[in-house]
Amino acid sequence: NAGVTQTPKFRVLKTGQSMTLLCAQDMNHEYMYWYRQDPGMGLRLIHYSVGEGTTAKGEVPDGYNVSRLKKQNFLLGLESAAPSQTSVYFCASSYVRGQGTMNTEAFFGQGTRLTVV
Amino acid sequence: GENVEQHPSTLSVQEGDSAVIKCTYSDSASNYFPWYKQELGKRPQLIIDIRSNVGEKKDQRIAVTLNKTAKHFSLHITETQPEDSAVYFCGLAAGNKLTFGGGTRVLVKP
């Protein structure tokens, strides 16, 4: 049972390049989230998904796109990377209990450290 | 996060003393309030959570209190130990969205 796994762990991009971060969970969780964490700052929600084929914007969605084609995977894309997107990216997942609102522990991946030069 | 404010941003305590972190929010639809601990270079991990129908919850040296009327909730750590040194985040769930406060860096001095 691997939990939540992020690929890659580290990446350096040049300004304008594109890339996709992969988050995979093996816990059959419905909800998945992408956050970014900048030095000295908290976790800011980029996009999230409540199930296969559905996505929604979080607090800081600009410059990012996401897809949830399979329940176990949540992809985060940067179409044209900018230095302001240098950050540590965390993916998280959780299951649904009861009425279908978020109310259980979110399990985090190990993070992806992205540097845009 | 845009929905929750966390204070203080840094907290230094002497080993054995208590630490208290407070978060305030505005969305009355919020119904789930988790606290996460993040050690240096590690992923955030849940340490305790509370739901909106409960006012207080305790787990050994850690407790969380929730005041829904005043829209704030707090993390209390008693008898602090060096291994409690970390960054702590309060979380807030309203509907399907989980957002976090800005974090509190706690340093426990031996």
Side-chain angles (χ1 to χ4, degrees), chain A residues 33-72:
Chain A
Y33 305 85
W34 275 108
Y35 297 91
R36 61 177 288 175
Q37 184 175 34
D38 301 317
M41 296 189 70
L43 296 156
R44 292 186 291 170
L45 181 64
I46 304 171
H47 286 280
Y48 63 103
S49 169
V50 301
E52 184 178 321
T54 69
T55 63
K57 293 180 180 179
E59 302 170 284
V60 289
D62 294 344
Y64 305 95
N65 57 74
V66 288
S67 64
R68 183 106 181 261
L69 299 179
K70 294 182 179 180
K71 185 177 184 179
Q72 64 269 32

PDB file of all heavy atoms in Angstrom, chain A residues 33-72:
ATOM      1  N   TYR A  33      -6.579  16.584  -4.359  1.00  0.00           N
ATOM      2  CA  TYR A  33      -6.269  18.010  -4.280  1.00  0.00           C
ATOM      3  C   TYR A  33      -4.833  18.254  -4.736  1.00  0.00           C
ATOM      4  O   TYR A  33      -3.953  17.425  -4.532  1.00  0.00           O
ATOM      5  CB  TYR A  33      -6.370  18.507  -2.824  1.00  0.00           C
ATOM      6  CG  TYR A  33      -7.699  18.239  -2.156  1.00  0.00           C
ATOM      7  CD1 TYR A  33      -7.949  17.028  -1.539  1.00  0.00           C
ATOM      8  CD2 TYR A  33      -8.677  19.220  -2.115  1.00  0.00           C
ATOM      9  CE1 TYR A  33      -9.167  16.783  -0.916  1.00  0.00           C
ATOM     10  CE2 TYR A  33      -9.901  18.993  -1.492  1.00  0.00           C
ATOM     11  CZ  TYR A  33     -10.137  17.776  -0.889  1.00  0.00           C
ATOM     12  OH  TYR A  33     -11.336  17.539  -0.278  1.00  0.00           O
ATOM     13  N   TRP A  34      -4.620  19.434  -5.312  1.00  0.00           N
ATOM     14  CA  TRP A  34      -3.275  19.924  -5.581  1.00  0.00           C
ATOM     15  C   TRP A  34      -3.062  21.231  -4.829  1.00  0.00           C
ATOM     16  O   TRP A  34      -3.881  22.152  -4.926  1.00  0.00           O
ATOM     17  CB  TRP A  34      -3.043  20.171  -7.073  1.00  0.00           C
ATOM     18  CG  TRP A  34      -2.621  18.954  -7.833  1.00  0.00           C
ATOM     19  CD1 TRP A  34      -3.354  18.228  -8.727  1.00  0.00           C
ATOM     20  CD2 TRP A  34      -1.328  18.323  -7.783  1.00  0.00           C
ATOM     21  NE1 TRP A  34      -2.617  17.196  -9.232  1.00  0.00           N
ATOM     22  CE2 TRP A  34      -1.371  17.225  -8.671  1.00  0.00           C
ATOM     23  CE3 TRP A  34      -0.152  18.581  -7.085  1.00  0.00           C
ATOM     24  CZ2 TRP A  34      -0.269  16.387  -8.867  1.00  0.00           C
ATOM     25  CZ3 TRP A  34       0.930  17.747  -7.284  1.00  0.00           C
ATOM     26  CH2 TRP A  34       0.864  16.667  -8.165  1.00  0.00           C
ATOM     27  N   TYR A  35      -1.916  21.296  -4.090  1.00  0.00           N
ATOM     28  CA  TYR A  35      -1.538  22.495  -3.363  1.00  0.00           C
ATOM     29  C   TYR A  35      -0.130  22.913  -3.788  1.00  0.00           C
ATOM     30  O   TYR A  35       0.668  22.100  -4.223  1.00  0.00           O
ATOM     31  CB  TYR A  35      -1.506  22.230  -1.850  1.00  0.00           C
ATOM     32  CG  TYR A  35      -2.823  21.852  -1.246  1.00  0.00           C
ATOM     33  CD1 TYR A  35      -3.208  20.513  -1.149  1.00  0.00           C
ATOM     34  CD2 TYR A  35      -3.695  22.821  -0.745  1.00  0.00           C
ATOM     35  CE1 TYR A  35      -4.420  20.161  -0.586  1.00  0.00           C
ATOM     36  CE2 TYR A  35      -4.913  22.471  -0.171  1.00  0.00           C
ATOM     37  CZ  TYR A  35      -5.269  21.145  -0.106  1.00  0.00           C
ATOM     38  OH  TYR A  35      -6.467  20.800   0.451  1.00  0.00           O
ATOM     39  N   ARG A  36       0.145  24.190  -3.564  1.00  0.00           N
ATOM     40  CA  ARG A  36       1.521  24.654  -3.681  1.00  0.00           C
ATOM     41  C   ARG A  36       1.933  25.267  -2.344  1.00  0.00           C
ATOM     42  O   ARG A  36       1.095  25.853  -1.625  1.00  0.00           O
ATOM     43  CB  ARG A  36       1.706  25.668  -4.816  1.00  0.00           C
ATOM     44  CG  ARG A  36       0.919  26.947  -4.710  1.00  0.00           C
ATOM     45  CD  ARG A  36       1.249  27.882  -5.864  1.00  0.00           C
ATOM     46  NE  ARG A  36       2.590  28.460  -5.727  1.00  0.00           N
ATOM     47  CZ  ARG A  36       3.165  29.234  -6.634  1.00  0.00           C
ATOM     48  NH1 ARG A  36       2.551  29.484  -7.780  1.00  0.00           N
ATOM     49  NH2 ARG A  36       4.365  29.727  -6.418  1.00  0.00           N
ATOM     50  N   GLN A  37       3.212  25.110  -2.009  1.00  0.00           N
ATOM     51  CA  GLN A  37       3.729  25.617  -0.748  1.00  0.00           C
ATOM     52  C   GLN A  37       4.988  26.407  -1.032  1.00  0.00           C
ATOM     53  O   GLN A  37       6.009  25.856  -1.427  1.00  0.00           O
ATOM     54  CB  GLN A  37       4.035  24.481   0.241  1.00  0.00           C
ATOM     55  CG  GLN A  37       4.486  24.988   1.599  1.00  0.00           C
ATOM     56  CD  GLN A  37       4.673  23.871   2.609  1.00  0.00           C
ATOM     57  OE1 GLN A  37       5.081  22.762   2.286  1.00  0.00           O
ATOM     58  NE2 GLN A  37       4.349  24.156   3.858  1.00  0.00           N
ATOM     59  N   ASP A  38       4.894  27.709  -0.813  1.00  0.00           N
ATOM     60  CA  ASP A  38       6.038  28.589  -1.011  1.00  0.00           C
ATOM     61  C   ASP A  38       6.736  28.819   0.322  1.00  0.00           C
ATOM     62  O   ASP A  38       6.106  28.692   1.377  1.00  0.00           O
ATOM     63  CB  ASP A  38       5.573  29.914  -1.621  1.00  0.00           C
ATOM     64  CG  ASP A  38       4.880  29.700  -2.945  1.00  0.00           C
ATOM     65  OD1 ASP A  38       5.390  28.886  -3.745  1.00  0.00           O
ATOM     66  OD2 ASP A  38       3.825  30.310  -3.181  1.00  0.00           O
ATOM     67  N   PRO A  39       8.017  29.172   0.306  1.00  0.00           N
ATOM     68  CA  PRO A  39       8.759  29.365   1.558  1.00  0.00           C
ATOM     69  C   PRO A  39       8.052  30.339   2.483  1.00  0.00           C
ATOM     70  O   PRO A  39       7.679  31.439   2.068  1.00  0.00           O
ATOM     71  CB  PRO A  39      10.102  29.923   1.077  1.00  0.00           C
ATOM     72  CG  PRO A  39      10.253  29.399  -0.305  1.00  0.00           C
ATOM     73  CD  PRO A  39       8.864  29.369  -0.879  1.00  0.00           C
ATOM     74  N   GLY A  40       7.879  29.928   3.729  1.00  0.00           N
ATOM     75  CA  GLY A  40       7.256  30.802   4.712  1.00  0.00           C
ATOM     76  C   GLY A  40       5.763  30.969   4.534  1.00  0.00           C
ATOM     77  O   GLY A  40       5.148  31.777   5.229  1.00  0.00           O
ATOM     78  N   MET A  41       5.189  30.203   3.630  1.00  0.00           N
ATOM     79  CA  MET A  41       3.757  30.333   3.407  1.00  0.00           C
ATOM     80  C   MET A  41       3.081  28.996   3.623  1.00  0.00           C
ATOM     81  O   MET A  41       3.707  27.953   3.681  1.00  0.00           O
ATOM     82  CB  MET A  41       3.472  30.854   2.007  1.00  0.00           C
ATOM     83  CG  MET A  41       3.982  32.256   1.759  1.00  0.00           C
ATOM     84  SD  MET A  41       3.405  32.940   0.210  1.00  0.00           S
ATOM     85  CE  MET A  41       1.671  33.176   0.566  1.00  0.00           C
ATOM     86  N   GLY A  42       1.796  29.088   3.721  1.00  0.00           N
ATOM     87  CA  GLY A  42       1.028  27.874   3.947  1.00  0.00           C
ATOM     88  C   GLY A  42       0.760  27.115   2.667  1.00  0.00           C
ATOM     89  O   GLY A  42       1.373  27.358   1.627  1.00  0.00           O
ATOM     90  N   LEU A  43      -0.154  26.209   2.739  1.00  0.00           N
ATOM     91  CA  LEU A  43      -0.565  25.403   1.596  1.00  0.00           C
ATOM     92  C   LEU A  43      -1.721  26.109   0.901  1.00  0.00           C
ATOM     93  O   LEU A  43      -2.765  26.347   1.505  1.00  0.00           O
ATOM     94  CB  LEU A  43      -1.017  24.020   2.085  1.00  0.00           C
ATOM     95  CG  LEU A  43       0.073  23.190   2.746  1.00  0.00           C
ATOM     96  CD1 LEU A  43      -0.539  22.167   3.699  1.00  0.00           C
ATOM     97  CD2 LEU A  43       0.899  22.491   1.679  1.00  0.00           C
ATOM     98  N   ARG A  44      -1.528  26.413  -0.361  1.00  0.00           N
ATOM     99  CA  ARG A  44      -2.581  27.094  -1.113  1.00  0.00           C
ATOM    100  C   ARG A  44      -3.168  26.133  -2.147  1.00  0.00           C
ATOM    101  O   ARG A  44      -2.436  25.514  -2.921  1.00  0.00           O
ATOM    102  CB  ARG A  44      -2.038  28.358  -1.781  1.00  0.00           C
ATOM    103  CG  ARG A  44      -1.667  29.445  -0.777  1.00  0.00           C
ATOM    104  CD  ARG A  44      -1.272  30.738  -1.475  1.00  0.00           C
ATOM    105  NE  ARG A  44      -0.016  30.622  -2.195  1.00  0.00           N
ATOM    106  CZ  ARG A  44       0.449  31.529  -3.029  1.00  0.00           C
ATOM    107  NH1 ARG A  44      -0.255  32.632  -3.299  1.00  0.00           N
ATOM    108  NH2 ARG A  44       1.615  31.355  -3.623  1.00  0.00           N
ATOM    109  N   LEU A  45      -4.479  26.045  -2.158  1.00  0.00           N
ATOM    110  CA  LEU A  45      -5.189  25.101  -3.019  1.00  0.00           C
ATOM    111  C   LEU A  45      -5.206  25.592  -4.462  1.00  0.00           C
ATOM    112  O   LEU A  45      -5.667  26.711  -4.748  1.00  0.00           O
ATOM    113  CB  LEU A  45      -6.619  24.918  -2.493  1.00  0.00           C
ATOM    114  CG  LEU A  45      -7.511  23.953  -3.252  1.00  0.00           C
ATOM    115  CD1 LEU A  45      -6.964  22.522  -3.167  1.00  0.00           C
ATOM    116  CD2 LEU A  45      -8.935  24.013  -2.698  1.00  0.00           C
ATOM    117  N   ILE A  46      -4.744  24.733  -5.378  1.00  0.00           N
ATOM    118  CA  ILE A  46      -4.695  25.110  -6.791  1.00  0.00           C
ATOM    119  C   ILE A  46      -5.982  24.651  -7.501  1.00  0.00           C
ATOM    120  O   ILE A  46      -6.734  25.440  -8.043  1.00  0.00           O
ATOM    121  CB  ILE A  46      -3.463  24.491  -7.484  1.00  0.00           C
ATOM    122  CG1 ILE A  46      -2.177  24.890  -6.762  1.00  0.00           C
ATOM    123  CG2 ILE A  46      -3.390  24.962  -8.954  1.00  0.00           C
ATOM    124  CD1 ILE A  46      -0.935  24.140  -7.261  1.00  0.00           C
ATOM    125  N   HIS A  47      -6.185  23.347  -7.510  1.00  0.00           N
ATOM    126  CA  HIS A  47      -7.377  22.729  -8.074  1.00  0.00           C
ATOM    127  C   HIS A  47      -7.703  21.501  -7.239  1.00  0.00           C
ATOM    128  O   HIS A  47      -6.842  20.978  -6.529  1.00  0.00           O
ATOM    129  CB  HIS A  47      -7.140  22.266  -9.524  1.00  0.00           C
ATOM    130  CG  HIS A  47      -7.076  23.347 -10.543  1.00  0.00           C
ATOM    131  ND1 HIS A  47      -8.198  23.958 -11.072  1.00  0.00           N
ATOM    132  CD2 HIS A  47      -6.010  23.924 -11.155  1.00  0.00           C
ATOM    133  CE1 HIS A  47      -7.817  24.866 -11.972  1.00  0.00           C
ATOM    134  NE2 HIS A  47      -6.505  24.866 -12.037  1.00  0.00           N
ATOM    135  N   TYR A  48      -8.940  21.036  -7.350  1.00  0.00           N
ATOM    136  CA  TYR A  48      -9.298  19.817  -6.664  1.00  0.00           C
ATOM    137  C   TYR A  48     -10.328  19.048  -7.495  1.00  0.00           C
ATOM    138  O   TYR A  48     -10.873  19.566  -8.473  1.00  0.00           O
ATOM    139  CB  TYR A  48      -9.815  20.094  -5.250  1.00  0.00           C
ATOM    140  CG  TYR A  48     -11.089  20.901  -5.176  1.00  0.00           C
ATOM    141  CD1 TYR A  48     -12.310  20.288  -4.917  1.00  0.00           C
ATOM    142  CD2 TYR A  48     -11.059  22.283  -5.311  1.00  0.00           C
ATOM    143  CE1 TYR A  48     -13.473  21.030  -4.813  1.00  0.00           C
ATOM    144  CE2 TYR A  48     -12.215  23.032  -5.220  1.00  0.00           C
ATOM    145  CZ  TYR A  48     -13.424  22.409  -4.971  1.00  0.00           C
ATOM    146  OH  TYR A  48     -14.576  23.154  -4.876  1.00  0.00           O
ATOM    147  N   SER A  49     -10.575  17.821  -7.084  1.00  0.00           N
ATOM    148  CA  SER A  49     -11.496  16.947  -7.807  1.00  0.00           C
ATOM    149  C   SER A  49     -12.277  16.098  -6.818  1.00  0.00           C
ATOM    150  O   SER A  49     -11.702  15.565  -5.873  1.00  0.00           O
ATOM    151  CB  SER A  49     -10.710  16.033  -8.753  1.00  0.00           C
ATOM    152  OG  SER A  49     -11.541  15.017  -9.277  1.00  0.00           O
ATOM    153  N   VAL A  50     -13.572  15.984  -7.048  1.00  0.00           N
ATOM    154  CA  VAL A  50     -14.406  15.176  -6.155  1.00  0.00           C
ATOM    155  C   VAL A  50     -14.745  13.825  -6.774  1.00  0.00           C
ATOM    156  O   VAL A  50     -15.511  13.049  -6.177  1.00  0.00           O
ATOM    157  CB  VAL A  50     -15.691  15.916  -5.746  1.00  0.00           C
ATOM    158  CG1 VAL A  50     -15.335  17.222  -5.045  1.00  0.00           C
ATOM    159  CG2 VAL A  50     -16.583  16.176  -6.947  1.00  0.00           C
ATOM    160  N   GLY A  51     -14.212  13.551  -7.941  1.00  0.00           N
ATOM    161  CA  GLY A  51     -14.443  12.246  -8.544  1.00  0.00           C
ATOM    162  C   GLY A  51     -13.909  12.213  -9.965  1.00  0.00           C
ATOM    163  O   GLY A  51     -13.561  13.244 -10.551  1.00  0.00           O
ATOM    164  N   GLU A  52     -13.856  11.006 -10.492  1.00  0.00           N
ATOM    165  CA  GLU A  52     -13.360  10.820 -11.851  1.00  0.00           C
ATOM    166  C   GLU A  52     -14.137  11.704 -12.823  1.00  0.00           C
ATOM    167  O   GLU A  52     -15.367  11.762 -12.787  1.00  0.00           O
ATOM    168  CB  GLU A  52     -13.534   9.339 -12.236  1.00  0.00           C
ATOM    169  CG  GLU A  52     -12.996   8.961 -13.573  1.00  0.00           C
ATOM    170  CD  GLU A  52     -13.172   7.468 -13.831  1.00  0.00           C
ATOM    171  OE1 GLU A  52     -12.998   6.676 -12.891  1.00  0.00           O
ATOM    172  OE2 GLU A  52     -13.512   7.108 -14.963  1.00  0.00           O
ATOM    173  N   GLY A  53     -13.397  12.429 -13.661  1.00  0.00           N
ATOM    174  CA  GLY A  53     -14.006  13.270 -14.672  1.00  0.00           C
ATOM    175  C   GLY A  53     -14.453  14.640 -14.212  1.00  0.00           C
ATOM    176  O   GLY A  53     -14.985  15.429 -15.010  1.00  0.00           O
ATOM    177  N   THR A  54     -14.253  14.953 -12.927  1.00  0.00           N
ATOM    178  CA  THR A  54     -14.671  16.271 -12.414  1.00  0.00           C
ATOM    179  C   THR A  54     -13.491  16.996 -11.795  1.00  0.00           C
ATOM    180  O   THR A  54     -12.657  16.390 -11.117  1.00  0.00           O
ATOM    181  CB  THR A  54     -15.759  16.146 -11.337  1.00  0.00           C
ATOM    182  OG1 THR A  54     -15.194  15.576 -10.168  1.00  0.00           O
ATOM    183  CG2 THR A  54     -16.903  15.279 -11.812  1.00  0.00           C
ATOM    184  N   THR A  55     -13.399  18.306 -12.048  1.00  0.00           N
ATOM    185  CA  THR A  55     -12.373  19.131 -11.431  1.00  0.00           C
ATOM    186  C   THR A  55     -12.978  20.486 -11.077  1.00  0.00           C
ATOM    187  O   THR A  55     -14.019  20.880 -11.638  1.00  0.00           O
ATOM    188  CB  THR A  55     -11.154  19.346 -12.353  1.00  0.00           C
ATOM    189  OG1 THR A  55     -11.580  20.049 -13.530  1.00  0.00           O
ATOM    190  CG2 THR A  55     -10.513  18.024 -12.750  1.00  0.00           C
ATOM    191  N   ALA A  56     -12.329  21.195 -10.154  1.00  0.00           N
ATOM    192  CA  ALA A  56     -12.808  22.516  -9.748  1.00  0.00           C
ATOM    193  C   ALA A  56     -11.620  23.387  -9.377  1.00  0.00           C
ATOM    194  O   ALA A  56     -10.561  22.877  -8.990  1.00  0.00           O
ATOM    195  CB  ALA A  56     -13.776  22.391  -8.573  1.00  0.00           C
ATOM    196  N   LYS A  57     -11.796  24.698  -9.486  1.00  0.00           N
ATOM    197  CA  LYS A  57     -10.722  25.638  -9.164  1.00  0.00           C
ATOM    198  C   LYS A  57     -10.627  25.855  -7.662  1.00  0.00           C
ATOM    199  O   LYS A  57     -11.631  25.880  -6.955  1.00  0.00           O
ATOM    200  CB  LYS A  57     -10.981  26.983  -9.845  1.00  0.00           C
ATOM    201  CG  LYS A  57     -10.891  26.922 -11.362  1.00  0.00           C
ATOM    202  CD  LYS A  57     -11.149  28.287 -11.972  1.00  0.00           C
ATOM    203  CE  LYS A  57     -11.053  28.231 -13.494  1.00  0.00           C
ATOM    204  NZ  LYS A  57     -11.319  29.546 -14.110  1.00  0.00           N
ATOM    205  N   GLY A  58      -9.383  26.044  -7.217  1.00  0.00           N
ATOM    206  CA  GLY A  58      -9.144  26.378  -5.828  1.00  0.00           C
ATOM    207  C   GLY A  58      -8.850  27.856  -5.665  1.00  0.00           C
ATOM    208  O   GLY A  58      -9.434  28.701  -6.352  1.00  0.00           O
ATOM    209  N   GLU A  59      -7.895  28.170  -4.779  1.00  0.00           N
ATOM    210  CA  GLU A  59      -7.568  29.563  -4.465  1.00  0.00           C
ATOM    211  C   GLU A  59      -6.652  30.207  -5.499  1.00  0.00           C
ATOM    212  O   GLU A  59      -6.741  31.413  -5.755  1.00  0.00           O
ATOM    213  CB  GLU A  59      -6.858  29.616  -3.105  1.00  0.00           C
ATOM    214  CG  GLU A  59      -7.645  29.045  -1.951  1.00  0.00           C
ATOM    215  CD  GLU A  59      -6.771  28.917  -0.712  1.00  0.00           C
ATOM    216  OE1 GLU A  59      -5.942  27.984  -0.648  1.00  0.00           O
ATOM    217  OE2 GLU A  59      -6.915  29.745   0.182  1.00  0.00           O
ATOM    218  N   VAL A  60      -5.735  29.426  -6.069  1.00  0.00           N
ATOM    219  CA  VAL A  60      -4.739  29.986  -6.989  1.00  0.00           C
ATOM    220  C   VAL A  60      -4.649  29.145  -8.266  1.00  0.00           C
ATOM    221  O   VAL A  60      -3.617  28.535  -8.564  1.00  0.00           O
ATOM    222  CB  VAL A  60      -3.355  30.087  -6.300  1.00  0.00           C
ATOM    223  CG1 VAL A  60      -3.348  31.185  -5.256  1.00  0.00           C
ATOM    224  CG2 VAL A  60      -2.953  28.754  -5.663  1.00  0.00           C
ATOM    225  N   PRO A  61      -5.699  29.104  -9.094  1.00  0.00           N
ATOM    226  CA  PRO A  61      -5.716  28.211 -10.250  1.00  0.00           C
ATOM    227  C   PRO A  61      -5.012  28.722 -11.506  1.00  0.00           C
ATOM    228  O   PRO A  61      -4.713  27.946 -12.415  1.00  0.00           O
ATOM    229  CB  PRO A  61      -7.214  28.065 -10.522  1.00  0.00           C
ATOM    230  CG  PRO A  61      -7.775  29.395 -10.097  1.00  0.00           C
ATOM    231  CD  PRO A  61      -6.955  29.806  -8.907  1.00  0.00           C
ATOM    232  N   ASP A  62      -4.729  30.031 -11.569  1.00  0.00           N
ATOM    233  CA  ASP A  62      -4.205  30.603 -12.810  1.00  0.00           C
ATOM    234  C   ASP A  62      -2.835  30.028 -13.157  1.00  0.00           C
ATOM    235  O   ASP A  62      -1.939  29.959 -12.331  1.00  0.00           O
ATOM    236  CB  ASP A  62      -4.126  32.128 -12.685  1.00  0.00           C
ATOM    237  CG  ASP A  62      -5.489  32.766 -12.567  1.00  0.00           C
ATOM    238  OD1 ASP A  62      -6.483  32.081 -12.893  1.00  0.00           O
ATOM    239  OD2 ASP A  62      -5.569  33.931 -12.151  1.00  0.00           O
ATOM    240  N   GLY A  63      -2.710  29.648 -14.439  1.00  0.00           N
ATOM    241  CA  GLY A  63      -1.443  29.099 -14.916  1.00  0.00           C
ATOM    242  C   GLY A  63      -1.353  27.592 -14.810  1.00  0.00           C
ATOM    243  O   GLY A  63      -0.344  27.001 -15.208  1.00  0.00           O
ATOM    244  N   TYR A  64      -2.389  26.963 -14.288  1.00  0.00           N
ATOM    245  CA  TYR A  64      -2.414  25.511 -14.092  1.00  0.00           C
ATOM    246  C   TYR A  64      -3.666  24.903 -14.713  1.00  0.00           C
ATOM    247  O   TYR A  64      -4.717  25.536 -14.736  1.00  0.00           O
ATOM    248  CB  TYR A  64      -2.403  25.150 -12.612  1.00  0.00           C
ATOM    249  CG  TYR A  64      -1.274  25.735 -11.816  1.00  0.00           C
ATOM    250  CD1 TYR A  64      -1.440  26.929 -11.122  1.00  0.00           C
ATOM    251  CD2 TYR A  64      -0.037  25.086 -11.739  1.00  0.00           C
ATOM    252  CE1 TYR A  64      -0.410  27.471 -10.376  1.00  0.00           C
ATOM    253  CE2 TYR A  64       0.998  25.628 -10.996  1.00  0.00           C
ATOM    254  CZ  TYR A  64       0.798  26.821 -10.323  1.00  0.00           C
ATOM    255  OH  TYR A  64       1.829  27.359  -9.586  1.00  0.00           O
ATOM    256  N   ASN A  65      -3.537  23.663 -15.175  1.00  0.00           N
ATOM    257  CA  ASN A  65      -4.717  22.902 -15.571  1.00  0.00           C
ATOM    258  C   ASN A  65      -4.608  21.522 -14.965  1.00  0.00           C
ATOM    259  O   ASN A  65      -3.520  21.072 -14.593  1.00  0.00           O
ATOM    260  CB  ASN A  65      -4.824  22.822 -17.106  1.00  0.00           C
ATOM    261  CG  ASN A  65      -3.592  22.223 -17.748  1.00  0.00           C
ATOM    262  OD1 ASN A  65      -3.359  21.023 -17.674  1.00  0.00           O
ATOM    263  ND2 ASN A  65      -2.773  23.051 -18.366  1.00  0.00           N
ATOM    264  N   VAL A  66      -5.741  20.861 -14.814  1.00  0.00           N
ATOM    265  CA  VAL A  66      -5.764  19.553 -14.180  1.00  0.00           C
ATOM    266  C   VAL A  66      -6.672  18.619 -14.960  1.00  0.00           C
ATOM    267  O   VAL A  66      -7.534  19.059 -15.725  1.00  0.00           O
ATOM    268  CB  VAL A  66      -6.261  19.612 -12.715  1.00  0.00           C
ATOM    269  CG1 VAL A  66      -5.221  20.249 -11.803  1.00  0.00           C
ATOM    270  CG2 VAL A  66      -7.597  20.335 -12.620  1.00  0.00           C
ATOM    271  N   SER A  67      -6.457  17.328 -14.738  1.00  0.00           N
ATOM    272  CA  SER A  67      -7.354  16.334 -15.313  1.00  0.00           C
ATOM    273  C   SER A  67      -7.440  15.130 -14.372  1.00  0.00           C
ATOM    274  O   SER A  67      -6.450  14.774 -13.711  1.00  0.00           O
ATOM    275  CB  SER A  67      -6.884  15.903 -16.702  1.00  0.00           C
ATOM    276  OG  SER A  67      -5.625  15.257 -16.632  1.00  0.00           O
ATOM    277  N   ARG A  68      -8.614  14.520 -14.357  1.00  0.00           N
ATOM    278  CA  ARG A  68      -8.853  13.336 -13.506  1.00  0.00           C
ATOM    279  C   ARG A  68      -9.579  12.319 -14.387  1.00  0.00           C
ATOM    280  O   ARG A  68     -10.768  12.078 -14.251  1.00  0.00           O
ATOM    281  CB  ARG A  68      -9.722  13.719 -12.301  1.00  0.00           C
ATOM    282  CG  ARG A  68      -9.934  12.544 -11.342  1.00  0.00           C
ATOM    283  CD  ARG A  68      -9.142  12.694 -10.096  1.00  0.00           C
ATOM    284  NE  ARG A  68      -9.321  11.568  -9.198  1.00  0.00           N
ATOM    285  CZ  ARG A  68     -10.149  11.598  -8.152  1.00  0.00           C
ATOM    286  NH1 ARG A  68     -10.871  12.681  -7.884  1.00  0.00           N
ATOM    287  NH2 ARG A  68     -10.235  10.550  -7.373  1.00  0.00           N
ATOM    288  N   LEU A  69      -8.823  11.727 -15.292  1.00  0.00           N
ATOM    289  CA  LEU A  69      -9.413  10.753 -16.225  1.00  0.00           C
ATOM    290  C   LEU A  69      -9.639   9.406 -15.548  1.00  0.00           C
ATOM    291  O   LEU A  69     -10.541   8.660 -15.936  1.00  0.00           O
ATOM    292  CB  LEU A  69      -8.518  10.612 -17.453  1.00  0.00           C
ATOM    293  CG  LEU A  69      -8.321  11.888 -18.279  1.00  0.00           C
ATOM    294  CD1 LEU A  69      -7.402  11.634 -19.466  1.00  0.00           C
ATOM    295  CD2 LEU A  69      -9.657  12.441 -18.750  1.00  0.00           C
ATOM    296  N   LYS A  70      -8.809   9.101 -14.567  1.00  0.00           N
ATOM    297  CA  LYS A  70      -8.966   7.872 -13.807  1.00  0.00           C
ATOM    298  C   LYS A  70      -9.090   8.225 -12.332  1.00  0.00           C
ATOM    299  O   LYS A  70      -8.468   9.201 -11.877  1.00  0.00           O
ATOM    300  CB  LYS A  70      -7.768   6.941 -14.017  1.00  0.00           C
ATOM    301  CG  LYS A  70      -7.618   6.392 -15.414  1.00  0.00           C
ATOM    302  CD  LYS A  70      -6.431   5.435 -15.482  1.00  0.00           C
ATOM    303  CE  LYS A  70      -6.283   4.856 -16.877  1.00  0.00           C
ATOM    304  NZ  LYS A  70      -5.125   3.922 -16.963  1.00  0.00           N
ATOM    305  N   LYS A  71      -9.838   7.462 -11.594  1.00  0.00           N
ATOM    306  CA  LYS A  71     -10.080   7.768 -10.181  1.00  0.00           C
ATOM    307  C   LYS A  71      -8.783   7.853  -9.390  1.00  0.00           C
ATOM    308  O   LYS A  71      -8.650   8.695  -8.491  1.00  0.00           O
ATOM    309  CB  LYS A  71     -10.999   6.706  -9.573  1.00  0.00           C
ATOM    310  CG  LYS A  71     -11.414   6.995  -8.144  1.00  0.00           C
ATOM    311  CD  LYS A  71     -12.374   5.941  -7.637  1.00  0.00           C
ATOM    312  CE  LYS A  71     -12.854   6.294  -6.235  1.00  0.00           C
ATOM    313  NZ  LYS A  71     -13.818   5.271  -5.727  1.00  0.00           N
ATOM    314  N   GLN A  72      -7.816   7.022  -9.719  1.00  0.00           N
ATOM    315  CA  GLN A  72      -6.615   6.957  -8.912  1.00  0.00           C
ATOM    316  C   GLN A  72      -5.572   8.005  -9.274  1.00  0.00           C
ATOM    317  O   GLN A  72      -4.597   8.161  -8.556  1.00  0.00           O
ATOM    318  CB  GLN A  72      -5.978   5.566  -9.009  1.00  0.00           C
ATOM    319  CG  GLN A  72      -5.481   5.164 -10.394  1.00  0.00           C
ATOM    320  CD  GLN A  72      -6.544   4.424 -11.206  1.00  0.00           C
ATOM    321  OE1 GLN A  72      -7.737   4.694 -11.061  1.00  0.00           O
ATOM    322  NE2 GLN A  72      -6.100   3.505 -12.036  1.00  0.00           N
TER     323      GLN A  72
END
